Amino acid sequence: MCRVFAAQDPEGYRQINRSIRIDGHSTSIQLEATFWALLDEIAESQNLTTPKFISKLYDEAIEINGEIPNFASMLRTTCALYLRGHRPSMDERMALKQEAA
């Protein structure tokens, strides 16, 4: 059973740094390639660029929680939630389209 996981392509867990502007500040985020691919997919599903999606996620999380102790971990768990089927509602997607226009 573990062979499926053990035999995965090492490229998927290669660390990648991306520079992103969040809250007016340039910051570097390091995640595994697989998580970047998922974040790209999530952002595209919401008609956003990945940096714009991450920035909006950060802003909303600060608004809701007041702080984010580990943003990279939050991005990883965002990917896990997405894979488990958690998606924005139709109303939320329509609001995003209107904001983008």
Side-chain angles (χ1 to χ4, degrees):
M1 175 176 130
C2 290
R3 286 187 153 290
V4 171
F5 305 114
Q8 67 181 294
D9 182 356
E11 184 63 23
Y13 53 85
R14 180 176 59 91
Q15 295 284 312
I16 297 174
N17 283 307
R18 287 194 190 175
S19 292
I20 295 180
R21 186 167 290 281
I22 298 176
D23 198 26
H25 303 284
S26 185
T27 188
S28 180
I29 299 173
Q30 183 177 33
L31 296 171
E32 295 76 14
T34 297
F35 289 112
W36 282 119
L38 282 166
L39 289 169
D40 291 342
E41 183 179 319
I42 296 167
E44 183 179 325
S45 76
Q46 296 187 36
N47 297 316
L48 296 170
T49 64
T50 302
K52 182 70 173 173
F53 169 73
I54 290 172
S55 181
K56 287 181 72 67
L57 179 63
Y58 178 87
D59 291 343
E60 290 180 20
I62 289 294
E63 182 181 315
I64 293 167
N65 299 311
E67 68 176 335
I68 305 168
N70 187 331
F71 191 57
S73 290
M74 182 186 172
L75 292 173
R76 288 183 188 94
T77 57
T78 296
C79 293
L81 288 170
Y82 177 76
L83 290 174
R84 287 183 166 177
H86 297 272
R87 305 288 196 278
S89 69
M90 182 59 87
D91 290 340
E92 290 171 318
R93 286 192 303 249
M94 292 303 290
L96 281 171
K97 283 184 181 182
Q98 289 175 346
E99 279 182 33

